[in-house]
């Protein structure tokens, strides 16, 4: 899509919490919906309408690619959630995954593909795909990724340390399975891909080593994300890149090298300062502390609305294209559903709602589909 579409979104005053999971959990049969493409597509449309968003963003389920990968390796379904590799994947395992890329899609991913196709065929919304990033998937495959990453930052290599080889091979497998997922979602009709890379932060990668000249961020994060970005360029599909982890300015500038249409950052960042690190062709998204929304003690509604207005004003002052949203998707928490939805909607109402008349005709034509559902 023409990049100007997203820049217009960023200039329109749009407030767009990511709350698809909240809307999904309002349905008693939400487990069933996750496996039914049309029903899931309708929920995605409903969420876009609820929050006045032109983007149809799926549920942020970052387990799909891990499930696909480990299923190809023969890990029993009931062990996948807690499974970790303890030795580097063998050549046989690498071939096994390569062969598995041609197999049928797993039920949850198949439903997501059908949902994207339904949104593309039945709404004016921008169909968005969703996947975990390679580095974050790697951290889910290994019990202790921090130690080998630190050893690599000290200058050790995979030839010297098997755990570094394990990281590198898991990154290769992660990239293969993610590229398969991206390709399938693009074929289903996704015009934008939301790549969530929350683990690419200082909890896993030493900022001291990076400041001292180590290339670990390039080697273990950027190298593989650049491969995904190259594929999206070849398919003419836009990138919505997300990292809600704690970052340094260096890391933010590295993410900018991916040239995302939208860059989503967590609440640890001051977006009005990060705007100076990005080209104006990348729209900043975020970053209210939505992980605290469940608690009225940590983040009462009045604080949400004050923070919304404050962030809006700060970003207006730096005049960088910006969509006001959440630091991550707002996950439904049992017993706190009403509180979470109240605060998500409170963000939108704090600025008077999303007015389609403020938008260009091109933006409004996309926005109309979501607005019609909301009304």
């Amino acid at each position: 899509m023409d990049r100007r579409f997203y820049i217009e979104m960023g200039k329109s005053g749009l407030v767009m919490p990511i709350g698809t999971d909240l809307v999904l959990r309002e349905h008693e049969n939400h487990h069933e919906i996750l496996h039914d493409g049309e029903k899931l597509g309708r929920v995605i449309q409903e969420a876009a309408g609820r929050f006045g968003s032109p983007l149809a963003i799926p549920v942020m389920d970052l387990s799909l690619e891990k499930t696909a990968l480990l299923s190809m390796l023969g890990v029993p379904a009931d062990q996948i959630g807690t499974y970790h590799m303890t030795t580097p994947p063998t050549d046989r395992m690498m071939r096994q995954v390569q062969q598995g890329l041609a197999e049928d899609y797993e039920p949850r991913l198949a439903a997501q593909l059908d949902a994207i196709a339904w949104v593309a065929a039945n709404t004016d919304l921008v169909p968005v795909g969703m996947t975990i990033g390679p580095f974050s998937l790697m951290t889910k495959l290994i019990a202790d990724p921090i130690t080998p990453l630190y050893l690599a930052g000290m200058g050790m290599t995979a030839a010297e340390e098997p755990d570094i080889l394990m990281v590198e091979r898991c990154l290769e497998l992660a990239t293969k399975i993610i590229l398969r997922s991206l390709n399938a979602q693009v074929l289903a009709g996704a015009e934008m891909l939301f790549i969530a890379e929350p683990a690419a932060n200082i909890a896993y990668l030493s900022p001291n080593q990076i400041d001292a000249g180590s290339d670990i961020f390039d080697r273990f994060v950027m190298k593989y994300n650049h491969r995904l970005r190259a594929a999206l360029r070849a398919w003419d599909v836009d990138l919505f890149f997300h990292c809600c982890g704690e970052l340094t300015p260096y890391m933010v500038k590295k993410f900018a090298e991916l040239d995302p249409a939208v860059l989503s950052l967590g609440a640890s960042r001051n977006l009005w300062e990060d705007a100076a690190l990005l080209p104006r062709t990348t729209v900043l998204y975020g970053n209210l502390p939505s992980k605290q929304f469940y608690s009225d003690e940590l983040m009462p509604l009045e604080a949400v609305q004050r923070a919304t207005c404050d962030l809006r004003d700060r970003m207006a002052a730096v005049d960088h294209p910006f969509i006001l949203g959440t630091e991550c998707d707002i996950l439904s928490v049992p017993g706190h559903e009403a509180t979470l939805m109240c605060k998500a909607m409170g963000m939108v109402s704090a600025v008077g709602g999303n007015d389609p008349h403020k938008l260009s005709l091109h933006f409004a034509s996309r926005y109309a589909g979501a607005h019609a559902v909301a009304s």
Side-chain angles (χ1 to χ4, degrees):
M1 187 183 300
D2 191 321
R3 183 67 67 90
R4 288 174 296 183
F5 172 76
Y6 303 104
I7 294 172
E8 289 171 9
M9 285 176 59
K11 292 179 177 179
S12 71
L14 181 67
V15 178
M16 193 184 79
I18 299 177
T20 310
D21 187 67
L22 283 183
V23 175
L24 171 69
R25 302 289 171 166
E26 290 178 348
H27 296 260
E28 290 186 5
N29 61 335
H30 55 266
H31 293 298
E32 172 193 331
I33 290 172
L34 283 171
H35 292 85
D36 186 308
E38 179 177 343
K39 291 178 180 178
L40 183 57
R42 289 182 182 277
V43 166
I44 293 169
Q45 180 193 36
E46 181 184 355
R50 186 80 61 88
F51 304 117
S53 167
L55 304 184
I57 299 178
V59 174
M60 194 186 292
D61 184 346
L62 302 187
S63 68
L64 299 186
E65 286 75 22
K66 180 183 180 182
T67 298
L69 177 61
L70 295 182
S71 295
M72 291 175 188
L73 293 173
V75 177
D78 61 349
Q79 297 179 25
I80 285 175
T82 56
Y83 182 88
H84 291 110
M85 295 187 183
T86 55
T87 57
T90 63
D91 290 345
R92 176 179 169 277
M93 293 167 69
M94 303 294 283
R95 289 193 299 270
Q96 204 169 332
V97 170
Q98 185 64 41
Q99 293 166 0
L101 298 178
E103 296 177 358
D104 291 340
Y105 301 114
E106 301 68 38
R108 267 288 292 113
L109 178 56
Q112 181 159 306
L113 299 177
D114 290 343
I116 291 169
W118 188 90
V119 167
N122 295 280
T123 78
D124 290 326
L125 301 168
V126 178
V128 180
M130 175 73 67
T131 182
I132 192 172
F135 185 84
S136 298
L137 179 50
M138 178 275 293
T139 65
K140 292 178 177 291
L141 297 172
I142 299 173
D144 173 24
I146 295 175
T147 299
L149 289 168
Y150 191 81
L151 293 174
M154 292 173 60
M156 296 186 69
T157 67
E160 300 169 301
E161 173 53 60
D163 283 352
I164 297 176
L165 177 63
M166 180 164 58
V167 167
E168 291 181 350
R169 290 212 155 188
C170 283
L171 280 165
E172 284 294 333
L173 290 177
T175 304
K176 287 179 184 292
I177 205 73
I178 291 168
L179 281 169
R180 170 185 182 253
S181 178
L182 293 180
N183 183 54
Q185 292 181 75
V186 170
L187 291 175
E191 298 176 27
M192 169 176 260
L193 260 299
F194 189 120
I195 297 179
E197 190 71 291
N201 66 71
I202 65 172
Y204 289 95
L205 296 149
S206 167
N208 293 331
Q209 289 183 330
I210 293 171
D211 289 345
S214 173
D215 65 351
I216 51 173
F217 202 79
D218 278 320
R219 283 171 57 197
F220 297 108
V221 177
M222 299 307 299
K223 172 183 174 181
Y224 300 94
N225 277 291
H226 275 298
R227 284 168 58 179
L228 303 187
R229 187 68 181 93
L232 295 184
R233 282 199 180 94
W235 297 325
D236 194 24
V237 172
D238 298 308
L239 172 61
F240 190 131
F241 191 83
H242 168 78
C243 180
C244 56
E246 190 170 352
L247 305 171
T248 65
Y250 170 89
M251 294 172 176
V252 174
K253 287 191 285 187
K254 280 294 178 180
F255 292 150
E257 292 178 4
L258 297 171
D259 188 31
V262 181
L263 178 61
S264 165
L265 300 176
S268 66
R269 301 300 304 171
N270 293 327
L271 297 187
W272 54 94
E273 296 174 357
D274 287 341
L277 307 177
L278 305 174
R280 289 183 58 80
T281 50
T282 291
V283 178
L284 266 170
Y285 173 87
N287 66 342
L288 296 194
S290 49
K291 294 172 185 177
Q292 299 179 11
F293 280 12
Y294 75 95
S295 169
D296 284 333
E297 290 186 11
L298 292 173
M299 197 78 179
L301 175 61
E302 294 77 13
V304 171
Q305 294 182 313
R306 284 196 304 270
T308 298
C309 294
D310 179 66
L311 183 54
R312 175 201 59 185
D313 294 344
R314 287 178 179 272
M315 292 306 295
V318 298
D319 191 30
H320 187 97
F322 168 66
I323 299 169
L324 204 155
T326 45
E327 65 179 332
C328 197
D329 66 328
I330 308 175
L331 293 176
S332 183
V333 178
H336 299 271
E337 296 91 344
T339 298
L340 288 162
M341 184 59 75
C342 178
K343 290 171 184 175
M345 296 306 298
M347 290 173 57
V348 180
S349 64
V351 297
N354 292 320
D355 182 359
H357 299 295
K358 296 178 181 177
L359 311 175
S360 72
L361 291 175
H362 178 54
F363 181 27
S365 68
R366 281 290 191 177
Y367 185 88
H371 185 66
V373 178
S375 60

